[in-house]
Each structure stands twice: as C-alpha cells, then as structure tokens.
C-alpha cells in the first residue's frame, strides 16, 4: 500500500465512481446562501445510542404534550430545555416552541439534533416519525437561515415568544461547537392542539429556506419532496374542514334566517298587542268610571310589554344565530384559504423540484465518465486538520468532500475498501482514533477501540498501521491490522508527538524522555536497549 504524506499539497488516488456536484466549504452562511452544517464527524470516546438521543426529545415532548394548549416549560436548562410559548388571547401572530441547547448540551451532529427535534414533535403533537424527521430538517435550516436575525422573528411571532429570545442566541449556528449555551431553536406553532398542522410548514419552508436547501449537494430533493407531501395532506385536511365548516355554516344560516322570521312574527304580534292596548286605553279614557275598562286597559298594556320582551329575546337569539353562522362562514373561508395556500405552495415546489431533478441528473451523467482522484484538503489552518476530497481530474472541480474534517497529520493511507487515517478530537465526547473512511460515502465506517494521542503520526507498513496510543500511564506505539484491531503495543512509553520512522534496523521513535529508540518491527520491543546492554557486557 502506498502512503500519502505531507510532501504534496493535494494527495490523489484514482477512482471510478461518480458523485454529486461540489458544495462550497466554509461558506459564510446567511439568507440566500448555502446552509452547510459543520458537525463533529470524528470518532467518539462515548457513543450514545439512537434510542437515547431520541429519548431526549420525546421526554420533553411528553411533558409539553400533557396540555399543549397552555404555556409551559420542560427539561434541564443546563442541557436541553423547551419553552412552550403559547398565548391563546393573542390572535395575530404565531406561537412557538423554543428548544434551548444549554451550556452542557453534548449534541455535536445535525443529524442527532434533528432526531431530538423530531422525537419531540412526535411526542408533543403526535406527528408520524417520517413527518417529524422532515419537519425537523426544515426547522434546523430555517433557524440557521435566520440565525441572530431577531427582526425576522419579530415580524412573525407573538410577544410571549419574543420575550424569550435574544439577538445573540436566536436561531441555530451552522457550527456544532457554537451550539451549547448559544442556541434558541424556534419552532413555529400554528395549532397547539396537535396534529398534522401543529407546526407552520409554510414558515419553515419559506423561499429563503428552500433556496438555501437547493444549493446543497443533490439540491435536497428528497426532503423537499417529503415537505410537499406534507403540505398536500395539509391542504386535503384543510379542504375537508372547509367543506364541513361550510356545511355547518349553511345549516346555521338557515337557523338564523328562521330566527329572523320569528323576529318579524314577534314584531307583528307586538304591533297587534299595541293596537289592542291603544283601543283599550281609549275606551278606558272615555269611561273613567268603568272599572272593567280600566282593568282591560292595564291588561292590554301588560300584553304589549310581554310582546316587546318576546320580540327583544327573539332579536337577541336571531343575532346570536347569525353570529354563529358568520363565524362558521369565516372558519370555512379560513380553512379554504389554508387549503388553497398549501396547494399553491405544493404545486409551485413540485415544479421547482422537477427542474432541479433534471439539473442533478445532468450533473451526475456528466460526472459518470469524468476521471476522478482523491486527496486531502486543509479544513482548519489553526489545528492543521484535513478532510478527504474527491476531485475531477480533468478540470479540478470538487465532486465530493468528506464530512470528516478532523484528519490529523495531513496524512492518509489507501486501503482496499477506503482510506485509513488518524482522526478526531480528544474533547467532550470526541476522541482521536485510527479510522477507516469509506471510499464512496467518505464517512467513517470503522474505528479503533483505543484512543490515540492528539498528535499521533500514521505510518503504513505492509498492511499494518503504526500510531501512538494514549493510555492513563503514558503513550505507546501501537501496531494495527487492516481490521483496525490492535495487534501489538510497545512496552516502552513514547513522546505523545513521537515520529515513527521505518529504518533498516526497525522503527525509530522518540521515547518519553526525548531519546531516540529503535523498536523491533515484530513485537515493538526496544532493539537499541538490547544493543546497549550487549555493549556493556563487553
């Protein structure tokens, strides 16, 4: 196997497969630009299960879901915390759930953050897992697009939401290292009672969000298709509600019309009662000594008062009935407006998706026959970390780049099924390990059990890999096989940054005291020490 070292700026290997178009690296993220999340993609000292990751979100969701129509808080402010900012009395703008990543939050990959959000949505609002994952994807991009843009949030959200946001923390950074203690992920809530339309999908998939997703590798076609599917189902549900509301509005209008007729009847009865009362009063006035006439006049006037009361009651009932009919009509109009809006958005996006599919297909076809090579690109000048890139050998354009941006020593070695490198960070849950990176996905598919020194070099020798292993009592040279299993470890401790150089006598290293030592190529014992002992004997 050939070793690739520091001597070349770009280290290349021939390859036959093809990949999607280039995505610009470390681009400034803002509205209208690509949102590319920078994740920690190296090995981990501790790996949380998917179940545990999802459990973070579902535990928060269950607590909020107990009474989702009331404002509430849930979780641990130091880690993961939700503010359920709901104000039923304010009608004009949106409610929201605000997921806060506390200073001790350990999530370091956008995929896992989306799992947390999705499991929260499922538990709080009864979303299906597939729909929740789609919405979570858009929520993260939406919050990255509007990161630190408090004015954008002010335009859409109620005061109860804005009172819990700050200009420095609102939204989500594209860099995982900036998430803990500085993230306020806003999830727009349009129906806190739950169901398919609990989250306002129009807001999280606005033009700026979709445009940023279209700039990514593959133009995010699958996620966009899934969002269109959700909107089409939202439109269908809203249309059904509109039809039912219209049916009720029609029935209520009939009832209101009947009440209006009753009012007219009561008015006529009042007129007739008044006419009789007037006649009785005239008769009583003409016969002041006629007690019967006087009594009849009083009774007639009493009948007028009763008729007026019945008329007023009928009018009040008619008004209430008409108000109910008007409210039903308004509800029908609102639901139809939602249906029309979701349908229009879905249709427009389907057209855009069709165009983008054609573009992606053309790009992939053009790349099928293009010669490609692999190499290393510096991903962080300060730490001197690198990442693997696949390049079009004909024109130098980047076809694909690895999400693993923490390759150490600017060195990698080609293996039969990928590339071997030292990668990672010994911080938080991260760890530096020997890893195997898949040639196609350019992601880690295998890693050593042992943690390596931060500054470990990598020496490939005949299918074995030599690195500096980090243990509690010091650092040691370790030899690994192609399966990344430790075969042998040196008995002598070495400097954490020790070079490992193959010589005709053995592997030369620098021990913990700073002295050069030569190790046996087989068992990594010290040859130079044995030689010194023999010299003393003579």
């Amino acid at each position: 196997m050939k070793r690739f070292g520091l001597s070349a700026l770009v280290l290349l290997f021939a390859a036959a497969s093809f990949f999607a178009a280039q995505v610009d690296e470390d681009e400034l993220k803002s509205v209208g630009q690509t949102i590319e999340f920078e994740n920690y993609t190296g090995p981990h000292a501790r790996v949380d299960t998917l179940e545990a990751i999802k459990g973070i979100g579902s535990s928060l969701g269950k607590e909020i879901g107990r009474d989702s129509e009331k404002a509430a808080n849930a979780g641990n402010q130091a880690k993961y915390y939700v503010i359920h900012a709901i104000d039923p009395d304010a009608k004009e703008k949106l409610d929201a759930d605000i997921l806060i990543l506390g200073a001790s939050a350990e999530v370091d990959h956008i995929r896992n953050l989306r799992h947390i959000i999705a499991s929260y949505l499922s538990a709080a609002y009864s979303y299906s897992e597939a729909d929740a994952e789609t919405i979570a994807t858009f929520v993260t991009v939406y919050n990255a697009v509007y990161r630190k843009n408090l004015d954008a949030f002010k335009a859409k959200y109620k005061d109860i939401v804005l009172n819990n946001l700050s200009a420095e923390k609102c939204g989500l950074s594209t860099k995982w290292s900036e998430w803990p203690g500085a993230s306020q992920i806003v999830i727009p809530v349009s129906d806190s009672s739950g169901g398919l339309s609990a989250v306002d999908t129009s807001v999280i998939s606005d033009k700026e969000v979709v445009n940023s997703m279209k700039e990514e590798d593959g133009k995010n076609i699958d996620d966009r298709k899934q969002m269109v599917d959700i909107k089409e189902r939202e439109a269908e549900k809203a249309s059904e509600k509109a039809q039912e509301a219209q049916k009720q509005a029609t029935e209520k209008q009939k009832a209101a019309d009947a009440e209006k007729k009753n009012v007219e009847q009561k008015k006529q009865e009042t007129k007739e009662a008044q006419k009789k009362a007037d006649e009785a009063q005239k008769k009583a006035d003409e016969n002041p000594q006629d007690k019967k006439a006087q009594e009849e006049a009083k009774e007639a006037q009493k009948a007028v008062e009763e008729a007026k009361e019945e008329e007023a009651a009928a009018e009040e009932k008619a008004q209430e009935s008409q108000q109910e009919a008007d409210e039903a009509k308004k509800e029908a109009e609102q639901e139809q407006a939602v249906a029309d809006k979701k349908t229009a958005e879905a249709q427009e996006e389907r057209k855009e998706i069709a165009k983008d599919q054609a573009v992606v297909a053309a790009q992939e076809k053009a790349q099928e026959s293009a010669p490609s090579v692999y190499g290393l690109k510096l991903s962080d000048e300060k730490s001197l970390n690198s990442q693997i890139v696949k390049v079009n050998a004909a024109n130098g354009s980047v076809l694909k780049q690895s999400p693993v941006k923490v390759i150490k020593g600017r060195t990698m070695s080609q293996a039969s099924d990928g590339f071997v490198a030292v990668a990672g960070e010994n911080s938080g849950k991260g760890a530096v390990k020997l890893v195997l990176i898949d040639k196609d996905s350019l992601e880690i598919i295998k890693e050593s059990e042992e943690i390596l020194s931060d500054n470990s070099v990598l020496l490939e020798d005949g299918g074995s890999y030599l690195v500096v292993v980090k243990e509690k009592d010091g650092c040691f040279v370790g030899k690994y096989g192609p399966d990344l299993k430790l075969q042998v470890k040196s008995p002598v401790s070495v400097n954490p940054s020790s070079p490992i150089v193959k010589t005709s006598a053995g592997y030369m290293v620098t021990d913990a005291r700073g002295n050069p030592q030569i190790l046996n190529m087989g068992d990594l014992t010290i040859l130079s020490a044995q030689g010194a002992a023999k010299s003393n004997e003579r």
Side-chain angles (χ1 to χ4, degrees):
M1 296 185 185
K2 185 177 180 181
R3 182 181 177 220
F4 285 72
L6 184 59
S7 58
L9 293 176
V10 179
L11 312 171
L12 305 175
F13 292 105
S17 57
F18 66 93
F19 293 97
Q22 177 180 2
V23 178
D24 289 337
E25 165 68 11
D26 292 333
E27 182 179 1
L28 289 175
K29 314 302 190 295
S30 64
V31 175
Q33 291 181 304
T34 302
I35 295 299
E36 183 184 358
F37 288 100
E38 182 180 306
N39 308 296
Y40 174 71
T41 52
H44 288 83
R46 189 188 86 244
V47 179
D48 294 326
T49 65
L50 180 59
E51 182 181 3
I53 292 168
K54 289 183 175 181
I56 296 170
S58 59
S59 63
L60 295 172
K62 287 175 183 177
E63 194 167 343
I64 295 301
R66 290 193 185 102
D67 192 352
S68 60
E69 297 188 65
K70 289 185 179 180
N73 300 329
N76 181 345
Q77 294 188 44
K79 285 196 170 185
Y80 305 96
Y81 188 68
V82 168
I83 299 174
H84 187 56
I86 304 295
D87 183 1
D89 296 329
K91 303 296 183 182
E92 297 302 319
K93 294 183 179 181
L94 286 167
D95 295 315
D97 287 337
I98 306 170
L99 174 60
I100 295 175
L101 304 182
S104 298
E106 295 181 317
V107 61
D108 57 12
H109 197 292
I110 192 63
R111 178 179 57 246
N112 291 336
L113 179 56
R114 286 168 177 168
H115 285 321
I116 292 172
I117 295 172
S119 57
Y120 170 80
L121 295 174
S122 293
Y125 300 118
S126 300
Y127 275 104
S128 70
E129 183 176 356
D131 287 348
E133 290 287 352
T134 297
I135 291 172
T137 297
F138 276 82
V139 164
T140 53
V141 177
Y142 167 70
N143 277 270
V145 167
Y146 294 104
R147 169 70 168 168
K148 295 186 178 181
N149 188 349
L150 190 59
D151 287 340
F153 293 112
K154 285 180 178 179
K156 295 183 181 298
Y157 295 91
K158 299 176 183 178
D159 289 342
I160 191 172
V161 178
L162 300 175
N163 291 340
N164 289 288
L165 297 179
S166 71
E168 290 303 310
K169 295 183 179 181
C170 63
L172 179 69
S173 172
T174 56
K175 297 182 179 180
W176 70 272
S177 58
E178 296 178 359
W179 291 351
S183 303
Q184 296 172 335
I185 302 170
V186 180
I187 305 172
V189 175
S190 57
D191 184 0
S192 59
S193 64
L196 185 62
S197 297
V199 176
D200 194 319
T201 54
S202 296
V203 171
I204 61 173
S205 64
D206 68 15
K207 183 178 180 181
E208 302 299 344
V209 172
V210 173
N211 282 347
S212 70
M213 296 179 78
K214 288 168 68 173
E215 293 300 318
E216 294 184 30
D217 187 12
K219 296 185 178 293
N220 259 306
I221 286 173
D222 288 342
D223 287 326
R224 289 162 59 198
K225 278 184 175 180
Q226 291 163 2
M227 176 55 76
V228 168
D229 178 67
I230 292 174
K231 287 186 177 182
E232 287 175 340
R233 281 184 280 129
E234 284 184 299
E236 183 178 354
K237 184 178 178 181
S239 182
E240 290 173 356
K241 285 184 176 181
Q243 291 175 10
E244 181 60 31
Q246 185 57 54
K247 182 179 178 181
Q248 293 182 8
T250 300
E251 294 298 320
K252 289 182 181 296
Q253 188 59 57
K254 287 180 180 179
D257 292 342
E259 293 297 337
K260 289 177 182 178
K261 288 182 179 180
N262 187 45
V263 169
E264 293 301 319
Q265 179 65 31
K266 293 299 181 183
K267 285 182 177 181
Q268 186 61 36
E269 291 175 1
T270 300
K271 287 181 180 180
E272 292 176 358
Q274 186 65 56
K275 182 179 180 182
K276 289 180 181 180
D278 291 344
E279 292 174 353
Q281 187 61 49
K282 182 179 180 182
K283 184 177 179 181
D285 290 343
E286 291 174 350
N287 301 281
Q289 301 302 319
D290 188 341
K291 292 183 179 180
K292 183 178 179 181
Q294 299 300 321
E295 189 64 32
E296 288 176 349
K298 289 180 181 180
E299 291 295 328
Q301 187 57 45
K302 183 179 179 181
V304 170
E305 296 303 322
E306 290 176 351
K308 286 183 178 179
E309 288 178 2
E310 290 180 4
E311 179 185 335
E315 286 183 340
E316 183 178 354
K317 189 174 181 180
Q319 289 176 356
E320 291 176 354
S321 185
Q322 185 59 54
Q323 184 177 356
E324 290 178 359
D326 291 343
E327 288 175 353
K329 289 177 183 176
K330 185 177 180 181
E331 181 182 352
E333 291 171 354
Q334 289 175 339
E335 291 293 347
Q336 191 57 53
V338 170
D340 293 343
K341 179 181 180 182
K342 298 295 183 182
T343 298
E345 289 177 3
Q347 290 177 343
E348 181 62 28
E349 183 60 8
R350 281 212 181 277
K351 292 178 183 178
E352 292 299 315
I353 289 173
K355 293 179 184 177
D356 292 339
Q357 282 180 308
V359 171
V360 170
Q363 290 174 339
E364 291 179 345
K365 185 176 181 180
Q367 292 168 8
E368 284 183 7
S369 57
S372 56
V373 290
Y374 290 98
L376 281 177
K377 167 187 162 184
L378 197 64
S379 60
D380 188 330
E381 189 171 356
K382 184 177 180 181
S383 64
L384 297 181
N385 287 336
S386 304
Q387 68 184 132
I388 298 174
V389 292
K390 182 184 179 184
V391 178
N392 184 323
N395 57 27
S397 64
V398 176
L399 302 177
K400 189 176 182 68
Q401 48 194 7
S402 173
V404 184
K405 301 179 181 179
V406 285
I407 293 177
K408 302 295 184 180
R410 290 150 289 172
T411 303
M412 65 180 184
S413 293
Q414 185 178 23
S416 59
D417 49 355
F419 306 100
V420 175
V422 173
E425 294 180 1
N426 284 326
S427 62
K429 292 194 302 180
V432 177
K433 293 186 176 183
L434 188 65
V435 301
L436 175 64
I437 297 175
D438 182 72
K439 185 188 295 184
D440 293 333
S441 68
L442 296 186
E443 295 187 358
I444 294 173
I445 56 174
K446 190 179 295 184
E447 60 186 55
S448 65
E449 292 182 5
E450 296 76 19
I451 295 175
L452 309 186
S453 165
D454 291 35
N455 298 321
S456 174
V457 297
L458 170 64
L459 172 66
E460 187 275 325
D461 183 21
S464 295
Y465 302 96
L466 287 94
V467 293
V468 178
V469 178
K470 179 180 180 182
E471 296 187 350
K472 291 182 179 179
D473 55 346
C475 293
F476 305 85
V477 175
K479 179 186 284 190
Y480 288 79
D483 58 357
L484 303 194
K485 297 293 184 181
L486 182 62
Q487 296 176 329
V488 62
K489 185 179 67 174
S490 69
V492 63
S493 61
V494 299
N495 186 287
S497 302
S498 172
I500 305 175
V501 179
K502 183 179 180 180
T503 71
S504 59
Y507 301 119
M508 182 175 289
V509 299
T510 301
D511 68 18
R513 295 184 177 183
N515 300 313
Q517 299 286 357
I518 297 178
L519 305 182
N520 183 292
M521 291 184 181
D523 60 9
L524 301 184
T525 55
I526 302 177
L527 290 180
S528 56
Q530 295 172 359
K534 290 180 179 179
S535 177
N536 290 333
E537 290 175 359
R538 289 194 293 269

